[in-house]
Amino acid sequence: MAKTILETWREKAYSQTANQGDLQRLWADYFETEKNIYAEILANPEEVVEGSVEDLAKKFDTSLDYMVGFLDGINDSLITANPIEEMDAKTVVSLDFDKELLYKNMVAAGADWLYELEQWDGIFDKDKQKELYKEQKKSTTVVNEAKIYPNDPCPCGSGKKYKKCCGKNK
């Protein structure tokens, strides 16, 4: 069975056997391309960009591989996900993205070169950008509950020490 274009991209981009220098150059080049595509679509966020995968690659002046990588990256931020797992070059896709979700996903990915694009200033003011940034960071912060020690007052409100109340048999 032939590989899908997404499988081909992932095999190339996440290769365990490729020369590390070649892989670093691939990713540096890809990230620059990704940044340019986002700058273009964020400049006019109300326009829904649609077309076949190969047409979008031409529109954004990039390779089919990089377009597939871009589609893979943005898919979780789309209002309706594209069928990226089985798409081919002729598959028609849409880049109808949820602005807040896209911004948060960029923050979650640590992609400061994307969430700091100046085009975001035309979509959200600086306060909204800070709010979305904080919401995303807070959503991944693990908060440990305060530890209850044996001689602490029992959290059930009985007034007894924890070890003589709910902490018994633990």
Side-chain angles (χ1 to χ4, degrees), residues 70-87:
F70 179 84
L71 292 169
D72 189 19
I74 197 173
N75 211 43
D76 289 341
S77 303
L78 299 177
I79 292 169
T80 303
N82 289 313
I84 62 168
E85 296 296 334
E86 59 268 353
M87 71 183 172

Side-chain angles (χ1 to χ4, degrees), residues 51-140:
S52 71
V53 177
E54 65 185 356
D55 288 344
L56 292 182
K58 288 176 191 160
K59 174 182 175 53
F60 294 112
D61 192 30
T62 190
S63 68
L64 190 61
D65 279 350
Y66 282 9
M67 194 68 232
V68 169
F70 179 84
L71 292 169
D72 189 19
I74 197 173
N75 211 43
D76 289 341
S77 303
L78 299 177
I79 292 169
T80 303
N82 289 313
I84 62 168
E85 296 296 334
E86 59 268 353
M87 71 183 172
D88 60 30
K90 302 287 185 199
T91 304
V92 175
V93 294
S94 170
L95 301 182
D96 189 12
F97 57 93
D98 177 312
K99 295 172 201 70
E100 288 189 10
L101 183 57
L102 178 60
Y103 189 87
K104 287 179 179 181
N105 285 341
M106 288 175 171
V107 170
D112 56 343
W113 66 94
L114 298 177
Y115 67 78
E116 291 178 355
L117 282 168
E118 66 184 31
Q119 286 79 359
W120 282 113
D121 296 341
I123 299 171
F124 302 124
D125 62 29
K126 288 293 183 192
D127 288 340
K128 181 67 174 178
Q129 289 177 45
K130 284 180 188 171
E131 177 188 322
L132 292 171
Y133 182 92
K134 286 179 181 176
E135 277 179 32
Q136 175 54 43
K137 290 297 188 182
K138 191 175 183 180
S139 74
T140 58

